[in-house]
Amino acid sequence: MTTTLLTNIGELTTNVAAGGDPLGTVHDAALLMADGRIAWIGQAADAPARGQDATIDAGGRAVIPGFVDSHTHLVFGGDRADEFEARMAGTPYAAGGIRRTVAATRAASDEELRLRLQRFTTELHGQGTTTFEIKTGYGLTVADEERLARLAAEVSGEVTFLGAHVVPAEYAERRDEYVELVCGEMLRACAPHARWIDVFCERGAFTPEEARRILAAGAERGLGLRVHGNQLGPGEGVRLAVAAGAASVDHCTYLDDADVAALAGSQTVATLLPGVEFSTRQPYPDARRLIDAGVTVALASDCNPGSSFTSSLPLMIALAVREMGMTPAEAVWAATAGGARALRRDDVGALAPGMRADVVMLDAPTRVHLAYRPGVPIVQTVWVGGRAVTPEPSAR
Ligand code: NIG
Ligand code: FE
């Protein structure tokens, strides 16, 4: 049994709501990690004086739960920096760019993709992300989608089958056949590696009818449902996600009142991805309107080579506060507990006895610094399941 006491925490965010504070903030706190779980949380003055293997002094710093990034596309080959450069010069973003990454991903070996996934894992951990979902969707053949799902499952338990990312070029004139393939053979090959199915419901990708069919096939195989909706314009994505009982509908950039009302009365989380609006020069989603209507909001990176090539949840928090009307506390909640809700997980996204010891110490006195100091690497130490994945401060 390995036990570590983290003490002298100036501001501890637990996300266990208390006394009107949804973030369950504790000042002058301590927490004990034992065998990968949180064993105890309380006032530093009440912490066990001895008995643990190591004691780490947080020096008054802020500690938060690890970030839960519920939306990434980390398994791909190639690079689209040229597309980004053209976009900044005025070329609009279009879903068709996905096909370029499909070609590069099909050409990449398992070893190349594996190495990249390992590097991304290190990159995410270093920025405080301790749980991350990964979507397939850059293979779009049965063999390639199965390969991407299998490789993603080597680094994450949250794998999403996204064969319905875009209709691949070779099926451009036979889209019905492609939808048939996604719902049949491709789904059968990928489902053993996946927990979720997702569909990009948007002009240029899949129609609402196709999306409903694909989600129904996934549900029949026992997969949970997610939807990319209302990213590039208004549409039925949000409402069909709610009607299907999806765990999350992601993007939610273009919403009308009926979309907001549907979300507010549902168990579907609205996952906002401000890295996309930042990187495609689109208007940001209105988080304030959603939160005020009672919708559960999550923040995620959407890390992918086309629309948002960043894995930084601190950046998402800063954008959500600066551009989307969220308070720093709401944004931190959305990137931790919100992400956990979007993945229907109750063992991560908060710090309470029995939960996974996914803990982030900031080199800052308060979580507000995540928005207040944009671009500054204030994530100092990260523990995943009680194990430090960044250099640990010296213990005593
Ligand atoms: O979430 N919206 C669809 N898929 C990605 C973009 C993928 C790409 O451009 O390669 C997204 O933004
Ligand atoms: Fe996405």
Side-chain angles (χ1 to χ4, degrees):
M1 165 129 156
T2 327
T3 53
T4 303
L5 179 72
L6 180 57
T7 189
N8 196 14
I9 300 169
E11 180 198 84
L12 175 65
T13 299
T14 65
N15 286 342
V16 178
D21 171 18
L23 280 78
T25 312
V26 186
H27 293 281
D28 304 317
L31 66 81
L32 185 66
M33 307 185 236
D35 283 343
R37 300 265 155 189
I38 301 293
W40 176 88
I41 287 187
Q43 292 292 310
D46 301 332
R50 54 177 63 82
Q52 51 280 350
D53 301 312
T55 297
I56 293 166
D57 186 339
R61 292 179 178 82
V63 169
I64 62 171
F67 296 125
V68 179
D69 191 346
S70 61
H71 185 143
T72 83
H73 304 248
L74 293 175
V75 56
F76 63 87
D79 180 275
R80 278 153 60 198
D82 54 352
E83 222 180 88
F84 174 80
E85 198 174 26
R87 200 155 61 234
M88 292 304 109
T91 310
Y93 176 80
I98 293 168
R99 294 200 185 96
R100 288 183 68 202
T101 301
V102 169
T105 305
R106 287 176 181 173
S109 68
D110 283 12
E111 273 325 298
E112 286 171 73
L113 295 175
R114 218 176 242 130
L115 183 63
R116 225 164 174 180
L117 282 169
Q118 277 156 7
R119 289 195 174 144
F120 279 132
T121 300
T122 306
E123 177 179 309
L124 269 73
H125 282 164
Q127 296 172 99
T129 298
T130 51
T131 300
F132 48 91
E133 178 260 21
I134 304 178
K135 299 175 198 300
T136 70
Y138 291 121
L140 310 187
T141 65
V142 173
D144 279 301
E145 284 293 303
E146 190 277 337
R147 177 166 89 104
L148 300 189
R150 181 166 33 84
L151 294 171
E154 292 177 0
V155 297
S156 173
E158 299 289 350
V159 175
T160 300
F161 167 51
L162 179 60
H165 200 183
V166 75
V167 176
E170 61 274 21
Y171 279 92
E173 306 307 321
R174 311 174 279 148
R175 55 185 301 128
D176 282 354
E177 274 178 53
Y178 186 67
V179 172
E180 190 76 38
L181 184 69
V182 168
C183 294
E185 198 186 339
M186 200 183 273
L187 172 61
R188 276 197 297 282
C190 294
H193 310 294
R195 190 173 168 226
W196 304 99
I197 186 167
D198 194 342
V199 53
F200 186 16
C201 179
E202 197 82 42
R203 194 180 297 276
F206 293 85
T207 66
E209 294 70 37
E210 291 166 342
R212 277 189 277 268
R213 199 173 144 206
I214 290 160
L215 293 173
E220 196 155 310
R221 280 258 143 200
L223 298 181
L225 311 182
R226 328 186 66 74
V227 174
H228 279 71
N230 303 53
Q231 172 187 358
L232 303 175
E236 285 180 53
V238 164
R239 287 193 298 277
L240 76 85
V242 169
S248 181
V249 55
D250 300 32
H251 287 286
C252 298
T253 307
Y254 293 90
L255 300 186
D256 62 23
D257 290 346
D259 296 321
V260 176
L263 283 165
S266 80
Q267 297 297 311
T268 303
V269 172
T271 299
L272 309 182
L273 310 166
V276 173
E277 283 74 36
F278 178 83
S279 304
T280 61
R281 280 218 183 106
Q282 292 248 111
Y284 287 92
D286 186 350
R288 187 76 265 137
R289 177 185 181 203
L290 288 165
I291 293 171
D292 289 347
V295 176
T296 302
V297 168
L299 286 169
S301 72
D302 197 12
C303 187
N304 77 78
S307 64
S308 178
F309 199 12
T310 172
S311 56
S312 168
L313 285 186
L315 174 62
M316 300 312 124
I317 290 169
L319 291 173
V321 171
R322 172 66 180 80
E323 306 287 346
M324 292 154 55
M326 292 174 85
T327 66
E330 286 168 343
V332 170
W333 189 93
T336 51
R341 293 266 185 99
L343 292 173
R344 300 214 164 141
R345 291 278 296 267
D346 55 16
D347 59 333
V348 298
L351 298 173
M355 296 187 76
R356 235 170 63 174
D358 291 354
V359 179
V360 171
M361 181 165 80
L362 303 175
D363 190 11
T366 162
R367 61 193 176 226
V368 177
H369 278 225
L370 287 162
Y372 174 49
R373 308 206 68 212
V376 179
I378 64 168
V379 168
Q380 182 169 321
T381 310
V382 180
W383 290 266
V384 178
R387 190 176 63 86
V389 293
T390 53
E392 204 169 3
S394 50
R396 56 166 211 266

